[in-house]
Amino acid sequence: MRSPLILPSNEALLSAVRSGGCVTALSETIVAPFVENGQLQILEFDLPPRRFTLLRHKERHRTAPAREFEAFCRAAMQ
């Protein structure tokens, strides 16, 4: 395997993969239009577990949906 290519956005990753010679892991929502028109193909494989960090601005008001999302994320991490 060659060294990974680090790109700044989903769009950049899609462009690299569509040009050939690359694979990546992206959400099915992002790639759906390209899969539907035959430009990309989904390969089934398991990803290793990853650690995520939840960030929020300490001085910004947290709305009810934001609190619910934070609770959802914390529950999913347990």
Side-chain angles (χ1 to χ4, degrees), residues 53-63 65-71 73-74:
T53 302
L54 183 63
L55 300 174
R56 62 179 168 84
H57 193 286
K58 66 180 179 177
E59 295 175 7
R60 187 167 180 141
H61 172 71
R62 286 181 21 207
T63 63
R67 288 190 301 272
E68 289 177 27
F69 180 69
E70 184 175 338
C73 291
R74 291 186 187 285

PDB file of all heavy atoms in Angstrom, residues 53-63 65-71 73-74:
ATOM      1  N   THR A  53     -13.767  13.632  19.052  1.00  0.00           N
ATOM      2  CA  THR A  53     -13.784  14.650  20.087  1.00  0.00           C
ATOM      3  C   THR A  53     -14.948  15.589  19.818  1.00  0.00           C
ATOM      4  O   THR A  53     -15.116  16.065  18.697  1.00  0.00           O
ATOM      5  CB  THR A  53     -12.465  15.452  20.080  1.00  0.00           C
ATOM      6  OG1 THR A  53     -11.386  14.536  20.269  1.00  0.00           O
ATOM      7  CG2 THR A  53     -12.448  16.482  21.168  1.00  0.00           C
ATOM      8  N   LEU A  54     -15.741  15.838  20.841  1.00  0.00           N
ATOM      9  CA  LEU A  54     -16.873  16.743  20.731  1.00  0.00           C
ATOM     10  C   LEU A  54     -16.418  18.125  21.173  1.00  0.00           C
ATOM     11  O   LEU A  54     -15.940  18.300  22.289  1.00  0.00           O
ATOM     12  CB  LEU A  54     -18.018  16.248  21.617  1.00  0.00           C
ATOM     13  CG  LEU A  54     -19.308  17.025  21.584  1.00  0.00           C
ATOM     14  CD1 LEU A  54     -19.923  16.965  20.194  1.00  0.00           C
ATOM     15  CD2 LEU A  54     -20.275  16.477  22.613  1.00  0.00           C
ATOM     16  N   LEU A  55     -16.534  19.099  20.278  1.00  0.00           N
ATOM     17  CA  LEU A  55     -16.108  20.464  20.577  1.00  0.00           C
ATOM     18  C   LEU A  55     -17.289  21.409  20.514  1.00  0.00           C
ATOM     19  O   LEU A  55     -18.168  21.258  19.682  1.00  0.00           O
ATOM     20  CB  LEU A  55     -15.062  20.938  19.556  1.00  0.00           C
ATOM     21  CG  LEU A  55     -13.781  20.136  19.458  1.00  0.00           C
ATOM     22  CD1 LEU A  55     -12.942  20.656  18.304  1.00  0.00           C
ATOM     23  CD2 LEU A  55     -13.012  20.224  20.748  1.00  0.00           C
ATOM     24  N   ARG A  56     -17.292  22.399  21.395  1.00  0.00           N
ATOM     25  CA  ARG A  56     -18.290  23.455  21.343  1.00  0.00           C
ATOM     26  C   ARG A  56     -17.691  24.710  21.954  1.00  0.00           C
ATOM     27  O   ARG A  56     -16.772  24.642  22.762  1.00  0.00           O
ATOM     28  CB  ARG A  56     -19.575  23.063  22.056  1.00  0.00           C
ATOM     29  CG  ARG A  56     -19.396  22.791  23.529  1.00  0.00           C
ATOM     30  CD  ARG A  56     -20.734  22.427  24.159  1.00  0.00           C
ATOM     31  NE  ARG A  56     -20.546  21.908  25.482  1.00  0.00           N
ATOM     32  CZ  ARG A  56     -20.424  22.673  26.560  1.00  0.00           C
ATOM     33  NH1 ARG A  56     -20.479  23.973  26.466  1.00  0.00           N
ATOM     34  NH2 ARG A  56     -20.242  22.132  27.739  1.00  0.00           N
ATOM     35  N   HIS A  57     -18.190  25.858  21.551  1.00  0.00           N
ATOM     36  CA  HIS A  57     -17.706  27.132  22.075  1.00  0.00           C
ATOM     37  C   HIS A  57     -18.252  27.310  23.477  1.00  0.00           C
ATOM     38  O   HIS A  57     -19.462  27.204  23.707  1.00  0.00           O
ATOM     39  CB  HIS A  57     -18.176  28.275  21.165  1.00  0.00           C
ATOM     40  CG  HIS A  57     -17.478  29.551  21.439  1.00  0.00           C
ATOM     41  ND1 HIS A  57     -17.736  30.320  22.545  1.00  0.00           N
ATOM     42  CD2 HIS A  57     -16.514  30.200  20.748  1.00  0.00           C
ATOM     43  CE1 HIS A  57     -16.970  31.390  22.537  1.00  0.00           C
ATOM     44  NE2 HIS A  57     -16.215  31.340  21.450  1.00  0.00           N
ATOM     45  N   LYS A  58     -17.377  27.569  24.431  1.00  0.00           N
ATOM     46  CA  LYS A  58     -17.802  27.614  25.838  1.00  0.00           C
ATOM     47  C   LYS A  58     -18.733  28.787  26.146  1.00  0.00           C
ATOM     48  O   LYS A  58     -19.481  28.741  27.112  1.00  0.00           O
ATOM     49  CB  LYS A  58     -16.587  27.638  26.765  1.00  0.00           C
ATOM     50  CG  LYS A  58     -15.750  28.873  26.674  1.00  0.00           C
ATOM     51  CD  LYS A  58     -14.581  28.789  27.627  1.00  0.00           C
ATOM     52  CE  LYS A  58     -13.728  30.044  27.518  1.00  0.00           C
ATOM     53  NZ  LYS A  58     -12.642  30.005  28.485  1.00  0.00           N
ATOM     54  N   GLU A  59     -18.720  29.833  25.327  1.00  0.00           N
ATOM     55  CA  GLU A  59     -19.550  30.998  25.600  1.00  0.00           C
ATOM     56  C   GLU A  59     -20.817  31.052  24.744  1.00  0.00           C
ATOM     57  O   GLU A  59     -21.617  31.959  24.892  1.00  0.00           O
ATOM     58  CB  GLU A  59     -18.725  32.278  25.383  1.00  0.00           C
ATOM     59  CG  GLU A  59     -17.578  32.399  26.366  1.00  0.00           C
ATOM     60  CD  GLU A  59     -16.686  33.595  26.091  1.00  0.00           C
ATOM     61  OE1 GLU A  59     -17.027  34.413  25.205  1.00  0.00           O
ATOM     62  OE2 GLU A  59     -15.641  33.693  26.751  1.00  0.00           O
ATOM     63  N   ARG A  60     -20.983  30.106  23.868  1.00  0.00           N
ATOM     64  CA  ARG A  60     -22.158  30.103  22.999  1.00  0.00           C
ATOM     65  C   ARG A  60     -23.300  29.345  23.654  1.00  0.00           C
ATOM     66  O   ARG A  60     -23.114  28.273  24.228  1.00  0.00           O
ATOM     67  CB  ARG A  60     -21.800  29.472  21.662  1.00  0.00           C
ATOM     68  CG  ARG A  60     -22.904  29.599  20.666  1.00  0.00           C
ATOM     69  CD  ARG A  60     -22.423  29.265  19.299  1.00  0.00           C
ATOM     70  NE  ARG A  60     -23.545  29.411  18.402  1.00  0.00           N
ATOM     71  CZ  ARG A  60     -23.452  29.906  17.205  1.00  0.00           C
ATOM     72  NH1 ARG A  60     -22.289  30.282  16.745  1.00  0.00           N
ATOM     73  NH2 ARG A  60     -24.510  30.012  16.449  1.00  0.00           N
ATOM     74  N   HIS A  61     -24.502  29.894  23.551  1.00  0.00           N
ATOM     75  CA  HIS A  61     -25.697  29.255  24.118  1.00  0.00           C
ATOM     76  C   HIS A  61     -25.939  27.910  23.448  1.00  0.00           C
ATOM     77  O   HIS A  61     -25.892  27.794  22.229  1.00  0.00           O
ATOM     78  CB  HIS A  61     -26.917  30.159  23.917  1.00  0.00           C
ATOM     79  CG  HIS A  61     -28.205  29.511  24.293  1.00  0.00           C
ATOM     80  ND1 HIS A  61     -28.541  29.263  25.605  1.00  0.00           N
ATOM     81  CD2 HIS A  61     -29.224  29.039  23.530  1.00  0.00           C
ATOM     82  CE1 HIS A  61     -29.723  28.661  25.631  1.00  0.00           C
ATOM     83  NE2 HIS A  61     -30.158  28.521  24.385  1.00  0.00           N
ATOM     84  N   ARG A  62     -26.197  26.884  24.270  1.00  0.00           N
ATOM     85  CA  ARG A  62     -26.492  25.556  23.734  1.00  0.00           C
ATOM     86  C   ARG A  62     -27.993  25.391  23.618  1.00  0.00           C
ATOM     87  O   ARG A  62     -28.706  25.440  24.609  1.00  0.00           O
ATOM     88  CB  ARG A  62     -25.900  24.482  24.640  1.00  0.00           C
ATOM     89  CG  ARG A  62     -24.403  24.394  24.506  1.00  0.00           C
ATOM     90  CD  ARG A  62     -23.759  23.341  25.368  1.00  0.00           C
ATOM     91  NE  ARG A  62     -24.651  22.300  25.811  1.00  0.00           N
ATOM     92  CZ  ARG A  62     -24.480  21.612  26.922  1.00  0.00           C
ATOM     93  NH1 ARG A  62     -23.444  21.843  27.681  1.00  0.00           N
ATOM     94  NH2 ARG A  62     -25.322  20.676  27.265  1.00  0.00           N
ATOM     95  N   THR A  63     -28.456  25.174  22.423  1.00  0.00           N
ATOM     96  CA  THR A  63     -29.886  24.971  22.181  1.00  0.00           C
ATOM     97  C   THR A  63     -30.284  23.566  22.621  1.00  0.00           C
ATOM     98  O   THR A  63     -29.428  22.691  22.826  1.00  0.00           O
ATOM     99  CB  THR A  63     -30.212  25.145  20.690  1.00  0.00           C
ATOM    100  OG1 THR A  63     -29.503  24.129  19.959  1.00  0.00           O
ATOM    101  CG2 THR A  63     -29.819  26.532  20.192  1.00  0.00           C
ATOM    102  N   PRO A  65     -31.681  21.206  20.774  1.00  0.00           N
ATOM    103  CA  PRO A  65     -31.171  20.197  19.831  1.00  0.00           C
ATOM    104  C   PRO A  65     -29.663  19.948  20.005  1.00  0.00           C
ATOM    105  O   PRO A  65     -29.209  18.812  19.875  1.00  0.00           O
ATOM    106  CB  PRO A  65     -31.475  20.795  18.457  1.00  0.00           C
ATOM    107  CG  PRO A  65     -32.629  21.705  18.683  1.00  0.00           C
ATOM    108  CD  PRO A  65     -32.404  22.274  20.059  1.00  0.00           C
ATOM    109  N   ALA A  66     -28.900  20.992  20.324  1.00  0.00           N
ATOM    110  CA  ALA A  66     -27.459  20.817  20.537  1.00  0.00           C
ATOM    111  C   ALA A  66     -27.203  19.958  21.774  1.00  0.00           C
ATOM    112  O   ALA A  66     -26.328  19.091  21.758  1.00  0.00           O
ATOM    113  CB  ALA A  66     -26.767  22.167  20.670  1.00  0.00           C
ATOM    114  N   ARG A  67     -27.968  20.178  22.824  1.00  0.00           N
ATOM    115  CA  ARG A  67     -27.816  19.358  24.043  1.00  0.00           C
ATOM    116  C   ARG A  67     -28.193  17.908  23.761  1.00  0.00           C
ATOM    117  O   ARG A  67     -27.534  16.980  24.234  1.00  0.00           O
ATOM    118  CB  ARG A  67     -28.655  19.939  25.177  1.00  0.00           C
ATOM    119  CG  ARG A  67     -28.100  21.236  25.752  1.00  0.00           C
ATOM    120  CD  ARG A  67     -28.817  21.638  27.033  1.00  0.00           C
ATOM    121  NE  ARG A  67     -30.244  21.827  26.855  1.00  0.00           N
ATOM    122  CZ  ARG A  67     -30.826  22.961  26.498  1.00  0.00           C
ATOM    123  NH1 ARG A  67     -30.086  24.024  26.262  1.00  0.00           N
ATOM    124  NH2 ARG A  67     -32.136  23.040  26.382  1.00  0.00           N
ATOM    125  N   GLU A  68     -29.255  17.709  22.981  1.00  0.00           N
ATOM    126  CA  GLU A  68     -29.673  16.352  22.636  1.00  0.00           C
ATOM    127  C   GLU A  68     -28.605  15.652  21.797  1.00  0.00           C
ATOM    128  O   GLU A  68     -28.329  14.468  21.997  1.00  0.00           O
ATOM    129  CB  GLU A  68     -30.998  16.380  21.873  1.00  0.00           C
ATOM    130  CG  GLU A  68     -32.176  16.755  22.739  1.00  0.00           C
ATOM    131  CD  GLU A  68     -33.463  16.838  21.949  1.00  0.00           C
ATOM    132  OE1 GLU A  68     -33.582  16.156  20.908  1.00  0.00           O
ATOM    133  OE2 GLU A  68     -34.358  17.597  22.369  1.00  0.00           O
ATOM    134  N   PHE A  69     -28.023  16.387  20.850  1.00  0.00           N
ATOM    135  CA  PHE A  69     -26.967  15.802  20.023  1.00  0.00           C
ATOM    136  C   PHE A  69     -25.763  15.437  20.879  1.00  0.00           C
ATOM    137  O   PHE A  69     -25.183  14.364  20.720  1.00  0.00           O
ATOM    138  CB  PHE A  69     -26.561  16.772  18.909  1.00  0.00           C
ATOM    139  CG  PHE A  69     -25.471  16.230  18.026  1.00  0.00           C
ATOM    140  CD1 PHE A  69     -25.711  15.169  17.168  1.00  0.00           C
ATOM    141  CD2 PHE A  69     -24.192  16.765  18.072  1.00  0.00           C
ATOM    142  CE1 PHE A  69     -24.706  14.656  16.364  1.00  0.00           C
ATOM    143  CE2 PHE A  69     -23.184  16.265  17.273  1.00  0.00           C
ATOM    144  CZ  PHE A  69     -23.440  15.205  16.419  1.00  0.00           C
ATOM    145  N   GLU A  70     -25.399  16.295  21.806  1.00  0.00           N
ATOM    146  CA  GLU A  70     -24.259  16.000  22.691  1.00  0.00           C
ATOM    147  C   GLU A  70     -24.566  14.755  23.533  1.00  0.00           C
ATOM    148  O   GLU A  70     -23.694  13.880  23.673  1.00  0.00           O
ATOM    149  CB  GLU A  70     -23.976  17.185  23.601  1.00  0.00           C
ATOM    150  CG  GLU A  70     -22.769  16.988  24.476  1.00  0.00           C
ATOM    151  CD  GLU A  70     -22.405  18.202  25.312  1.00  0.00           C
ATOM    152  OE1 GLU A  70     -22.799  19.332  24.964  1.00  0.00           O
ATOM    153  OE2 GLU A  70     -21.716  18.007  26.338  1.00  0.00           O
ATOM    154  N   ALA A  71     -25.760  14.652  24.057  1.00  0.00           N
ATOM    155  CA  ALA A  71     -26.144  13.471  24.854  1.00  0.00           C
ATOM    156  C   ALA A  71     -26.105  12.207  23.981  1.00  0.00           C
ATOM    157  O   ALA A  71     -25.618  11.164  24.428  1.00  0.00           O
ATOM    158  CB  ALA A  71     -27.540  13.660  25.458  1.00  0.00           C
ATOM    159  N   CYS A  73     -24.222  11.704  21.330  1.00  0.00           N
ATOM    160  CA  CYS A  73     -22.814  11.380  21.072  1.00  0.00           C
ATOM    161  C   CYS A  73     -22.165  10.723  22.281  1.00  0.00           C
ATOM    162  O   CYS A  73     -21.437   9.734  22.158  1.00  0.00           O
ATOM    163  CB  CYS A  73     -22.040  12.639  20.691  1.00  0.00           C
ATOM    164  SG  CYS A  73     -22.490  13.306  19.074  1.00  0.00           S
ATOM    165  N   ARG A  74     -22.425  11.283  23.450  1.00  0.00           N
ATOM    166  CA  ARG A  74     -21.836  10.710  24.675  1.00  0.00           C
ATOM    167  C   ARG A  74     -22.351   9.300  24.928  1.00  0.00           C
ATOM    168  O   ARG A  74     -21.586   8.417  25.316  1.00  0.00           O
ATOM    169  CB  ARG A  74     -22.111  11.613  25.868  1.00  0.00           C
ATOM    170  CG  ARG A  74     -21.346  12.924  25.784  1.00  0.00           C
ATOM    171  CD  ARG A  74     -21.531  13.752  27.053  1.00  0.00           C
ATOM    172  NE  ARG A  74     -20.945  15.062  26.903  1.00  0.00           N
ATOM    173  CZ  ARG A  74     -19.649  15.327  26.940  1.00  0.00           C
ATOM    174  NH1 ARG A  74     -18.772  14.350  27.084  1.00  0.00           N
ATOM    175  NH2 ARG A  74     -19.197  16.566  26.807  1.00  0.00           N
TER     176      ARG A  74
END
